[in-house]
Amino acid sequence: FEDLSTGGSIMIINKSHDLLKDVVLNFTDFFVEESCGSCVPCRCLTVLYRNTLQKIIDGHGTKKDLEDMVSWGKIMLANRCGLGQTAVNPILTTIKNFKQQYIDRIQIDKNYDAGFDLHKAVERSCQVTGRDPKDVEEFHG
């Protein structure tokens, strides 16, 4: 407990929290917002990591997404500051230590999933704008 008084901290997580959604995504959002944008890996990859993590949380992730996130980690070391070099550690350490949390959410049988359903998006847009999806030619094409 001596370390706590000098700026140390602890985090207690139990089964009432979703590790990926409640903790890892929160940390990832923080790093995206705190990036100064000076270094390309931090400016771009933190957003790409967040979007890929959200895709996995939403059930559209694939094994390739996990493999990509692990391989991108090496690129983050090119950042100039410590924030950029460690910004993706919440994701990388949970992939390493809690991989099953990711495996349980990805689609094992798919190589790719964009995580975007055009038909649902058009239907939702039509609801918001008061248009009839039958009038949207691209929707049926």
Side-chain angles (χ1 to χ4, degrees), residues 69-111:
M69 288 196 297
V70 170
S71 70
W72 299 335
K74 298 174 191 110
I75 300 169
M76 292 300 287
L77 297 175
N79 288 301
R80 287 186 255 169
C81 77
L83 183 136
Q85 292 173 3
T86 61
V88 297
N89 281 357
I91 293 174
L92 295 178
T93 57
T94 52
I95 290 173
K96 179 180 176 184
N97 297 309
F98 301 98
K99 193 169 189 172
Q100 196 60 44
Q101 294 273 333
Y102 290 87
I103 299 294
D104 290 345
R105 294 177 187 239
I106 64 172
Q107 302 171 82
I108 302 296
D109 57 338
K110 279 191 173 180
N111 291 326

Side-chain angles (χ1 to χ4, degrees), residues 127-140:
Q127 289 172 351
V128 170
T129 60
R131 295 174 69 191
D132 185 348
K134 294 176 191 160
D135 295 338
V136 180
E137 184 178 324
E138 297 85 21
F139 185 69
H140 297 288

